[in-house]
Amino acid sequence: MRLNIVQRIIKTHLLEGEMKAGEIVGIKIDQTLTQDATGTMAYLEFEAMNIPEIKTELSVSYVDHNTSQTGFENADDHKYLQTIAEKYGIYYSRAGNGICHQIHLERFGLPGKTLLGSDSHTPTCGGIGMMAIGAGGLDVACVLAGLPFYFAFPKVLKVNLTGKLPQWVSSKDIILYLLELLSTKGNVDWVIEYDGRAIKTLSVPERATITNMGAELGVVSSIFPSDEITYTFLKAQGREQGWTELKAESDAEYDRIIDIDLSTLEPRLATPHSPGNINLVKNLQGTKVDQVCVGSCTNSSYKDLMAVVRMVKGRRLPSNVSFAVAPGSKQVLRMLSDNGALTDLIDFGARIMESACGFCIGNGLAPATDSVSIRTNNRNFRGRSGTLSANVYLASPETAAACAITGVITDPRNLGIEPPEISIPEKFYIDDKMIIPPDRRKKDLKIYRGPNIGNPPISEPLTQDLIGEVAIKVGDKISTDHIMPAGIRLKYRSNIPKYAEFVFESVDSTFPERCLANKRQGKASFIIAGLSYGQGSSREHAAICPAYLGVKAVIAKSIERIHWANLINFGVIPLIFADVTDYDKIKQSDELSLLGIDRAVKENNTFVIRNLSKDTDFAVKLNLSEREREILLTGGLLNLIGKKAKG
Ligand code: MIC
Ligand code: SF4
């Protein structure tokens, strides 16, 4: 078998399993990253494993999500994270240093290595030739403890890029086009490998924009080869010694190939309320714009921001538009400051935001009621911006800047100005002062635990039968933002009982109370869902908090990969309708009986659920690996690890 890049990396990291489609493989992870919103729980889980120091080559704990510090919670969490990093040998990137994916690309990522991150956009580092995967915090904790990372051996889609991007069309438009082609659902267990003559025309930050939004396609990862472009980027970051060439063997096999001629692409937008609702900018021209935000891990590189600066320089922001810019890292901010670009932005009327996730996660800059916001980030799920009625569109930095200049949705090709040509600097400004390196003399350090820090969740082994109520019935493409809101609720990430009060807040805020009522009566709660349940983020809270409320199973038409793993890790059974038309026959508040569910999990059988309210039956499938069955029977991964440690 002639190996493609994905298979080559898996082969050199394979610890368990066979490299066959659909088989579960366990691979060695070289590097991990966590961010503060998922990191506190991940490290609480790691602490529960009683391992004296991390077993990875390199691990970094970033603080970039909860930096608003309204109240003591965020600041306390950061102190917890800092002491954990010092004690266990982890790099700590302080608040203000920038967004985890941008910094990891700049300062740590290496071609050919594996990276697991407790954030769904971890595949950003695929732009530098890493096999980078997003996962729940507990999966990252396991890897820190030296365990393999398990996943289904993926199918590989080769995206063959030819031609050259026309003027005003950027790499964001390539990934928006792919989202139009492949949609946000149905791509579980695929990895995308980019190749073709045109990859030479794309710099590492442009490649990273593409791999970043692979998360929106729902693929496991996305990767570019490591070539002279990668070398040039690493050299400009003073890290060329880490470069290795990475390419597919000649005549490597792929499960599917898509050809894209870049010269045929046009500027695109993801329209409300899904990154998969794609339209051409030219079709929406003239729509009044209230807010434009440039930043996020998708488009906040030096190149992205310089393109914006060149476009807005010397102009004046229309009075109907609020314009915010969040540089992706201190490095980017410093370089904009050094070359005067920051002054140009300020003169134009930009609001300069902290180098952090900020508006992308609904931390500030919530748009006005019913308003239109054009953003360069990757997600526009309803309500994620902090305003339920806002209409958020996702666009390239060039399109966003064109909208900020005119105050209406504008195809940048119609601005009548010369397109900015920005190349990667020969040398980036390097200053890692905001990254605290591990110090092994601090092994005995006392961990700081503020009152916001709770305990890792505990769950019970699976019982023989489950009887309970359909606590909610939701439709297709329910994201983890719908299940577990971020924004102003982010500060409760380390406090499960409190955070659980907000499960499904934007969908049905009575859900937690009804689940707790079921729990008090000794009844289970169930979630019924349509296609692609659990899209979007890796936040394991979307499994932990429902589990805390007494949700025992999710019965869906399909479930996305990271959320599937998170449900199992916390003892919630993922069940798939054998016949999707049965979805229509169930109502919220129906009573369901799952007699002998423990046995079905053991045997991985198709299982029949009785709808007691309707006096009918319907079948569900259990597509569980052996390891997943063991986890569910023990009541979650932490229980299983504890049991194995006791022997
Ligand atoms: C996101 O973009 O949704 C987040 C916030 O970065 C999440 C992680 C989280 O919820 O903490 C993600 O993408 O995994
Ligand atoms: Fe942060 Fe937004 Fe990127 Fe998530 S998608 S890591 S919230 S910038």
Side-chain angles (χ1 to χ4, degrees), residues 183-195:
S183 91
T184 57
K185 54 183 193 319
N187 305 312
V188 179
D189 296 340
W190 283 86
V191 175
I192 302 183
E193 200 172 299
Y194 289 88
D195 200 5

Side-chain angles (χ1 to χ4, degrees), residues 253-283:
E253 287 167 28
Y254 293 88
D255 297 281
R256 184 178 173 192
I257 299 179
I258 294 179
D259 293 300
I260 303 180
D261 176 356
L262 299 187
S263 63
T264 63
L265 295 185
E266 295 186 71
R268 282 177 159 73
L269 281 166
T271 66
H273 299 281
S274 166
N277 291 346
I278 307 296
N279 204 338
L280 294 174
V281 179
K282 67 180 184 200
N283 294 340

